[in-house]
Amino acid sequence: MGSQGAQQGVRDVSGERGVRGVRGGRSALCTAVLLCATGLLGGTATAAQRTPAPTPSPDADARHLDEVRKEIEGLYRTAERATEEYNAAEEQVQLQQKKIVELARTIDTAQRRLAVLKRQAGALASAQYRTGGIPPELKLVLNADPGAFLAGADLTRKGQQAVKGVIGQLTHLKTDLEGYADDASHRWERLEANRKKKDAARKEINDKIDAAKTLESRLATKEKARLRKLEDDQALLAQQKWLDSGALKEITGKASEQGKKAISYATSQIGKDYVWGAVGPDTFDCSGLTLQSWQAAGRTIPRTSQEQWRQLPRVALKDMRPGDLVIYFSDASHVGLYVGDGAIVHAPRPGRQVTVAGAGSMPILGVVRPDGERTG
């Protein structure tokens, strides 16, 4: 498709939605003003009523809508950042729960072993009591039979080793149990901390999404169409600037076999709704889509965009190839899967669907390769 193909693809996404609606709105407004001026809306209107209200200039109207766009975009960006924090906390909660269950099983096994050792120690103590409590060493000294003395010495040594072994095992096992209990306690504390972090992130996500939806709901239908076009135009402008930089000319890499599988999965999800915290199969958030795409290719990658950026091998932008993940914004809060020709597939935000977009339509932080080799 090349750079022109990528530009055309983004133009197709932006389209011309809302143009006819805006023109119709202006025509209706002009008609209403004319009717008021001629008295056809009420013959007894006062002079003030007969004077038409000033019509906002197109420039002022455009500035207002752009301010609304920026505010909505900011709210969704904050929600997306909180979504990735929620995803990370959720992953940690599941990990800690699994570890606590494993520790509980280990503690149960250790306690059973401890009970066995205590019974053995009790049996040894009872045997000593039945012999009158005379130390085995003294009994050997009092034995006049040399053969019996030697046999008794061997038995005594084995008995002493058995006692020491039981006591040693009891001591080590008690120490291990204390360690397991401390570990379980610390993990429980971290579990609770992550749960609180997750709840806080969930509240922030819902608050920001609700605020953005409320702000958007105040717009008239025609304004919503214009807002969508404005968003698309801004993305197109950023993409064009990226293409004009010559970045795409340097990108000539070919997809690996696993990369092709990841692309196939991602593109087959186009049209499905964005839902925060979702990992498919019916809805996705941005990192949920990349996670499942590479899972379908046979690679397990980190859950969140931040961890994908932190843990996966990084490659230079000029070395990017289809299947790589493009990480966006300085906080690594968004991610898309590069499909070639300057385009990505991504799950944008609430209220939008999985779609194709220009790889340069958002500020690029860097590129990572799920099937690459780590260096250093």
Side-chain angles (χ1 to χ4, degrees):
M1 184 161 66
S3 63
Q4 291 183 347
Q7 294 175 49
Q8 183 62 45
V10 178
R11 288 193 187 100
D12 291 341
V13 172
S14 62
E16 297 297 331
R17 289 185 296 273
V19 175
R20 289 190 296 273
V22 172
R23 288 174 181 166
R26 287 175 181 166
S27 176
L29 179 62
C30 291
T31 302
V33 171
L34 180 62
L35 290 173
C36 285
T38 57
L40 295 179
L41 291 184
T44 59
T46 63
Q49 289 172 326
R50 288 195 300 270
T51 302
T55 303
S57 70
D59 287 344
D61 189 43
R63 283 197 300 272
H64 168 70
L65 197 59
D66 192 48
E67 289 172 1
V68 171
R69 177 191 66 79
K70 289 177 180 177
E71 188 173 354
I72 290 175
E73 185 179 277
L75 289 167
Y76 280 126
R77 282 273 302 111
T78 303
E80 185 167 50
R81 191 160 49 243
T83 296
E84 293 303 281
E85 291 175 0
Y86 172 89
N87 290 337
E90 172 68 11
E91 190 174 39
Q92 286 301 311
V93 164
Q94 292 176 0
L95 179 62
Q96 295 301 338
Q97 286 176 331
K98 182 179 178 181
K99 290 293 185 182
I100 288 172
V101 169
E102 290 174 356
L103 278 169
R105 289 172 179 165
T106 301
I107 289 172
D108 181 64
T109 301
Q111 286 176 333
R112 291 174 184 274
R113 176 60 180 157
L114 185 63
V116 170
L117 288 172
K118 284 181 176 179
R119 286 196 296 270
Q120 290 178 354
L124 290 171
S126 297
Q128 186 175 8
Y129 176 78
R130 286 195 299 272
T131 60
I134 300 174
E137 296 86 350
L138 181 56
K139 289 184 177 181
L140 284 173
V141 172
L142 296 176
N143 198 324
D145 184 351
F149 177 86
L150 292 175
D154 185 55
L155 289 172
T156 298
R157 186 176 65 256
K158 290 180 180 179
Q160 288 173 337
Q161 289 174 345
V163 171
K164 288 180 180 178
V166 170
I167 292 173
Q169 289 182 62
L170 275 169
T171 303
H172 287 128
L173 196 53
K174 285 181 178 179
T175 302
D176 289 345
L177 271 171
E178 290 173 0
Y180 296 148
D182 287 342
D183 193 8
S185 177
H186 292 322
R187 288 187 182 277
W188 184 261
E189 289 173 3
R190 288 197 293 272
L191 175 65
E192 289 303 302
N194 280 313
R195 279 176 174 162
K196 290 179 181 178
K197 184 178 179 181
K198 188 177 72 170
D199 289 341
R202 181 192 290 116
K203 184 179 186 304
E204 183 176 13
I205 293 164
N206 287 326
D207 288 347
K208 297 304 181 185
I209 291 176
D210 288 346
K213 286 181 177 178
T214 299
L215 190 61
E216 197 166 358
S217 70
R218 293 172 183 164
L219 299 174
T221 302
K222 291 174 291 186
E223 289 180 309
K224 288 179 183 177
R226 290 172 58 204
L227 177 65
R228 180 66 180 264
K229 185 178 183 302
L230 187 58
E231 290 176 350
D232 292 340
D233 287 346
Q234 289 296 320
L236 176 60
L237 188 64
Q239 173 73 354
Q240 189 60 57
K241 185 177 179 180
W242 183 67
L243 293 174
D244 290 344
S245 72
L248 189 59
K249 294 178 182 178
E250 299 181 319
I251 301 172
T252 58
K254 303 297 182 182
S256 65
E257 288 305 310
Q258 284 187 307
K260 291 176 182 178
K261 292 178 182 178
I263 292 169
S264 177
Y265 181 91
T267 53
S268 68
Q269 311 310 310
I270 290 174
K272 293 185 177 180
D273 288 338
Y274 176 106
V275 172
W276 67 265
V279 292
D282 300 319
T283 57
F284 298 88
D285 63 19
C286 68
S287 56
L289 177 64
T290 54
L291 171 74
Q292 291 300 332
S293 296
W294 272 98
Q295 188 75 48
R299 286 265 180 166
T300 298
I301 64 175
R303 168 65 179 94
T304 68
S305 57
Q306 287 97 340
E307 287 304 300
Q308 289 170 3
W309 172 244
R310 189 175 72 85
Q311 296 185 36
L312 296 178
R314 298 180 186 181
V315 297
L317 186 64
K318 65 182 179 64
D319 297 323
M320 180 168 65
R321 70 189 186 193
D324 288 345
L325 304 184
V326 186
I327 309 295
Y328 293 97
F329 303 106
S330 60
D331 56 4
S333 58
H334 191 74
V335 60
L337 190 143
Y338 186 62
V339 294
D341 291 328
I344 60 167
V345 170
H346 73 141
R349 65 165 176 82
R352 299 288 187 262
Q353 292 74 40
V354 175
T355 189
V356 176
S361 59
M362 296 167 283
I364 296 175
L365 176 62
V367 180
V368 294
R369 180 163 294 162
D371 59 344
E373 297 296 328
R374 294 188 66 86
T375 58

